[in-house]
Amino acid sequence: MKQFLSVPFACLLLFVAVCLSSSYAYSQEGARTLAGKHSRSDSLRGRNVPFDKGSARGVGRSATDTLKPNERNIYGYLGIQDPKSKSFAWYFDRETYDLVQTQAFDSSLFLVHLILPGQKSLSPLTYLGNMGSPVQSDHFFERPVSYPFLFSKGYSSYEQPVLDRKQYNVRRPHTLLEYSTAGKRRNAEQNLRVFHTQNVNRYLNFGLQYDYFSTKGIYERQLTRNNDFTAFASYYRHRVSAQGTFAYTYIRNQENGGLEDDRFIQDTVMEPNLVPFRLKDASVEYRKRSFSGVVGYDIITKRVNDSLENLKSILTAKLILDANRYTRVYADTETDSSYYGNFYISTTSTHDSVYLATYQSTLLVELSQIAKYPGIPGLRAWVSGLMGSYYNFTPDNFIYTYSNTKLNTSHFGLGVYSQSPYLSYSGAARFYMSGYRAADKELLGRLSISPWKSKELPYVAGELSITDREPDIFINRYFSNHYKWDNTFEKESRFRLSARLGADRFGFEAGYSIEHILNYVYFDTLSLPAQEPKVTVTSAYIQEKFRLGWFNAVCKVIWQASTNADVLSLPTLAGFGALYVQYPVVKDVLTMQLGVSGFYRTEFYADAYNPALGIYHNQRVRKIGNYPFVDVFLNARWKRANLFIKLDHANQGLIDNQYFTTLHYPYNPRMVKFGVSWMFYD
């Protein structure tokens, strides 16, 4: 614990020092500008710098917006040519170590009624039917290949990233408030997001975000309480760059184990609170504490146009820190062996706890690309070490004092990158030298070609990934009250190739992916890890956004195939569709959308959920699917606010009652949901 706290505490002190120094420098900068009223020039490192009258006039209004500094900030690091950009965002790619510019805020009205995390990808989801429950995408290529903590993979959609967290640069403070609710008071669903970011000056930004997903549950024991808090900051000035994020996630959910008999939904009509479920007193508690930081210094730079503001990095050194601590506790007082067939510790109660802590540090050196020769790559090289510990109960704990098992590994890596309007690519290769991942290898490459220098017009992008990876530490060995295993699996090898064609102006995107997996690791029908010698998955999709006057249509169709459906079952066809009318009620003040949308997937053996382990596993009891989930919605944009009201699951009972999202877990009955999202710019 001390180890975990020392890293963020040291970085907090560094952050405070940076704030104080930057504020002092910023005040000095303002003083120099004001002094310019009495002097037509100022001195900077022995050179005469002309005084800018506009800067002096702007001090009284907004120093952040109008002062013209003489040192590079994030604009220079990202190569943004337009200094009048009001707001933008970027993130640090944890795989290639690129700084990637991205959209800062999405204030559009596009499908604002889709509020379940993961739905905006327009792919159907396997989950437990209510907000806050574990989620798994039905599109194989949207599932995470690996996740640091095996038992919390289903909650990844509710967590904000840490190392690759979005950072912001804004001219004015931005505050976002989002709230949605549904159902009656005794079974209400409530979601809340509070977000704020602002620049202290043109070099320093900080922000906070809090997400809350909650439901009391339509059915028995569906209570969920998902809390996620992040604090982030960035500082880019002259040769120094730094950004960091702290995150805390706390999730506490009740578990009902699914229906006692699916016929209570399929063949009868009864009040949801009377439907019997299998677990009566089971719950899960999950916590995650994380900190990440990236600190860089330009060792060699080059002036462009003899200006400190237009410095170009030539050789840069970076230190990357990533610390995470995970805990999960599953508890129940179930004594009925019909649900859990084994009791290895106690037959009267269960209290399974799992712990994992990792601390990774990476030292990276980066040589920039030669700007006047597009396509010539920049180079990266790094060394990285990971240390940590993990714990879960074992029979030895009955006799000996328990202690955490140590964990360590190290690797070195090489990377290339090139950014230009026409051609961009990046790649990374990692070779693990020691520890539990010794002899692992990872190779990743990405390519984007934009003949018209913009993704508004047709572009092509592709990705290649080759990995040879040791299975998760908890896949090899685990012991709990209901499950135990001790495996010596082979390394899992994956070859993935993806390509897509798109044109944002026409709302079109199509993609194709194939992945060949040797020694595929999965959970079988008994919820035990297993390994299959060979599996190949192929997928293709097409997505189109069409508009003709007031009429709008959105459609996404996904096709998938697996060479071994007994091991990996996927829906052959899945997708999303929406038809709506969008019209301006009051021009530039109020815009409304009225329409219908829905998700669909063909029948397949959707994975079942295991509450004790928190994982989705193989099942061959019955197929799930061939049922559309349809919403009727009214979306509106009034000035800076987006609002929606929708009839969720509007088609309940109109076709049949096969509305299951996974085995023995039904989707919530028809209900009205309402939400509002309001952005404040000052």
Side-chain angles (χ1 to χ4, degrees):
M1 183 65 183
K2 292 180 180 179
Q3 236 179 351
F4 181 82
L5 290 174
S6 62
V7 174
F9 181 70
C11 291
L12 179 62
L13 292 178
L14 176 62
F15 175 69
V16 171
V18 167
C19 290
L20 294 175
S21 63
S22 63
S23 299
Y24 174 76
Y26 191 60
S27 64
Q28 291 295 98
E29 199 170 52
R32 286 197 302 269
T33 306
L34 291 171
K37 294 180 179 179
H38 308 288
S39 173
R40 299 297 295 175
S41 65
D42 193 8
S43 176
L44 179 64
R45 295 190 181 183
R47 298 184 295 112
N48 287 330
V49 181
F51 169 70
D52 192 319
K53 295 181 180 179
S55 296
R57 288 194 299 268
V59 171
R61 297 192 302 271
S62 173
T64 305
D65 287 348
T66 59
L67 279 177
K68 293 185 178 179
N70 50 20
E71 291 183 324
R72 178 178 57 159
N73 66 349
I74 186 61
Y75 285 82
Y77 280 88
L78 292 177
I80 297 176
Q81 301 298 322
D82 182 10
K84 296 181 181 180
S85 297
K86 293 184 178 180
S87 63
F88 58 89
W90 71 95
Y91 65 91
F92 183 76
D93 191 314
R94 64 182 308 121
E95 295 180 318
T96 62
Y97 299 147
D98 290 325
L99 281 183
V100 182
Q101 188 178 351
T102 186
Q103 182 180 10
F105 307 102
D106 183 7
S107 58
S108 70
L109 200 55
F110 181 69
L111 302 178
V112 296
H113 65 285
L114 299 181
I115 57 175
L116 180 69
Q119 279 188 330
K120 287 296 180 71
S121 68
L122 306 186
S123 300
L125 304 173
T126 292
Y127 67 116
L128 307 189
N130 66 310
M131 181 70 70
S133 62
V135 174
Q136 176 178 273
S137 176
D138 289 336
H139 189 188
F140 178 79
F141 290 93
E142 291 179 0
R143 300 176 184 177
V145 174
S146 61
Y147 195 74
F149 189 54
L150 175 69
F151 305 105
S152 66
K153 185 185 295 186
Y155 291 118
S156 60
S157 298
Y158 301 97
E159 300 173 344
Q160 289 295 316
V162 182
L163 184 59
D164 46 356
R165 165 81 166 122
K166 253 195 204 182
Q167 302 285 342
Y168 297 85
N169 185 282
V170 293
R171 293 295 182 94
R172 292 182 292 174
H174 283 57
T175 301
L176 174 66
L177 299 178
E178 291 184 350
Y179 176 77
S180 65
T181 185
K184 300 178 181 179
R185 185 172 181 177
R186 61 183 175 85
N187 52 27
E189 171 191 298
Q190 292 184 326
N191 305 310
L192 174 68
R193 168 169 290 180
V194 180
F195 171 89
H196 177 80
T197 185
Q198 71 178 71
N199 272 53
V200 177
N201 51 47
R202 72 189 307 270
Y203 308 108
L204 176 64
N205 173 279
F206 74 91
L208 304 169
Q209 180 168 325
Y210 173 69
D211 292 317
Y212 177 67
F213 302 93
S214 167
T215 178
K216 295 180 180 179
I218 300 294
Y219 298 108
E220 181 182 357
R221 296 196 61 78
Q222 275 193 321
L223 179 71
T224 63
R225 293 286 187 271
N226 296 14
N227 300 267
D228 185 75
F229 170 79
T230 57
F232 56 91
S234 63
Y235 179 80
Y236 285 80
R237 182 172 186 175
H238 194 42
R239 295 172 180 259
V240 177
S241 61
Q243 64 182 59
T245 302
F246 170 79
Y248 176 72
T249 303
Y250 176 64
I251 295 175
R252 192 177 191 279
N253 291 351
Q254 293 180 343
E255 300 284 1
N256 60 30
L259 291 165
E260 287 187 0
D261 193 324
D262 290 353
R263 288 176 293 184
F264 285 113
I265 295 295
Q266 296 172 336
D267 304 330
T268 62
V269 177
M270 59 190 304
E271 289 296 318
N273 61 319
L274 299 178
V275 176
F277 285 77
R278 302 181 69 184
L279 296 179
K280 309 301 181 185
D281 187 29
S283 63
V284 167
E285 190 173 274
Y286 164 66
R287 283 185 171 90
K288 175 186 175 184
R289 302 171 181 86
S290 301
F291 171 80
S292 72
V294 182
V295 180
Y297 183 79
D298 291 344
I299 302 172
I300 302 176
T301 60
K302 177 184 177 181
R303 291 185 184 179
V304 180
N305 299 326
D306 197 32
S307 170
L308 289 176
E309 188 174 0
N310 295 321
L311 277 181
K312 174 178 172 54
S313 304
I314 302 298
L315 183 65
T316 304
K318 293 182 180 180
L319 177 63
I320 305 166
L321 304 174
D322 189 15
N324 300 275
R325 182 184 181 187
Y326 310 86
T327 58
R328 182 182 187 270
V329 176
Y330 170 79
D332 70 40
T333 56
E334 306 294 330
T335 58
D336 183 5
S337 61
S338 63
Y339 192 85
Y340 294 120
N342 300 301
F343 293 83
Y344 297 112
I345 301 174
S346 171
T347 59
T348 59
S349 65
T350 299
H351 192 275
D352 295 332
S353 61
V354 188
Y355 163 88
L356 172 67
T358 59
Y359 314 93
Q360 184 170 7
S361 57
T362 303
L363 181 61
L364 177 144
V365 177
E366 179 178 292
L367 180 65
S368 297
Q369 68 182 101
I370 304 175
K372 63 181 180 179
Y373 298 111
I376 301 298
L379 302 176
R380 296 188 179 103
W382 64 87
V383 292
S384 181
L386 180 147
M387 58 183 295
S389 62
Y390 65 95
Y391 165 80
N392 71 280
F393 185 86
T394 65
D396 292 342
N397 297 144
F398 284 120
I399 304 173
Y400 306 105
T401 302
Y402 79 88
S403 61
N404 296 339
T405 303
K406 300 298 182 182
L407 188 71
N408 65 83
T409 189
S410 61
H411 78 270
F412 73 91
L414 301 172
V416 297
Y417 69 98
S418 178
Q419 302 292 330
S420 73
Y422 299 100
L423 172 68
S424 297
Y425 62 84
S426 60
R430 291 174 171 83
F431 305 93
Y432 289 80
M433 302 173 289
S434 62
Y436 77 102
R437 292 194 60 188
D440 281 10
K441 296 176 285 293
E442 297 177 356
L443 176 65
L444 174 68
R446 297 184 183 130
L447 173 69
S448 177
I449 301 174
S450 304
W452 288 272
K453 300 195 299 183
S454 170
K455 289 189 176 182
E456 290 293 310
L457 296 174
Y459 68 90
V460 178
E463 181 174 312
L464 171 67
S465 174
I466 303 173
T467 61
D468 196 12
R469 187 183 182 92
E470 186 73 16
D472 188 278
I473 53 174
F474 293 112
I475 289 287
N476 285 328
R477 188 172 294 105
Y478 181 72
F479 187 91
S480 67
N481 194 28
H482 300 302
Y483 296 93
K484 66 174 182 178
W485 56 76
D486 192 350
N487 301 312
T488 54
F489 287 157
E490 298 292 328
K491 290 183 184 294
E492 184 181 72
S493 299
R494 292 176 176 246
F495 175 90
R496 173 181 289 195
L497 181 63
S498 300
R500 71 179 187 275
L501 170 67
D504 293 349
R505 177 180 295 181
F506 307 107
F508 172 80
E509 185 175 287
Y512 175 84
S513 300
I514 184 170
E515 183 160 12
H516 183 62
I517 310 172
L518 300 178
N519 302 320
Y520 175 63
V521 177
Y522 68 102
F523 282 86
D524 63 18
T525 56
L526 299 177
S527 299
L528 299 176
Q531 197 162 43
E532 179 67 19
K534 184 187 299 184
V535 176
T536 300
V537 183
T538 309
S539 172
Y541 73 90
I542 185 169
Q543 179 175 322
E544 176 65 36
K545 303 173 187 175
F546 175 78
R547 182 176 182 179
L548 180 61
W550 288 1
F551 176 77
N552 292 261
V554 180
C555 180
K556 182 177 182 178
V557 179
I558 304 166
W559 169 82
Q560 297 179 106
S562 168
T563 57
N564 192 338
D566 292 332
V567 169
L568 179 59
S569 181
L570 299 168
T572 303
L573 291 175
F576 170 85
L579 296 172
Y580 59 92
V581 175
Q582 177 173 314
Y583 53 96
V585 180
V586 180
K587 188 176 181 181
D588 298 327
V589 176
L590 177 62
T591 302
M592 300 186 72
Q593 295 177 345
L594 177 63
V596 60
S597 66
F599 288 92
Y600 175 82
R601 55 186 179 175
T602 55
E603 279 192 326
F604 72 115
Y605 286 107
D607 286 348
Y609 180 72
N610 186 300
L613 298 174
I615 54 95
Y616 284 96
H617 65 91
N618 216 331
Q619 62 91 9
R620 287 299 177 271
V621 177
R622 58 169 296 201
K623 290 185 176 182
I624 306 294
N626 197 27
Y627 181 92
F629 293 94
V630 178
D631 301 335
V632 177
F633 63 89
L634 175 65
N635 299 335
R637 178 169 179 81
W638 178 65
K639 296 184 178 180
R640 296 179 181 178
N642 288 336
L643 305 95
F644 77 85
I645 183 170
K646 72 172 179 176
L647 184 62
D648 188 68
H649 196 185
N651 61 313
Q652 181 198 4
L654 299 181
I655 306 172
D656 55 41
N657 289 332
Q658 302 293 334
Y659 50 89
F660 291 88
T661 52
T662 190
L663 183 66
H664 303 320
Y665 286 88
Y667 190 73
N668 282 337
R670 182 188 302 114
M671 69 172 67
V672 175
K673 296 188 177 185
F674 167 80
V676 59
S677 173
W678 200 310
M679 175 69 79
F680 301 89
Y681 297 113
D682 46 35

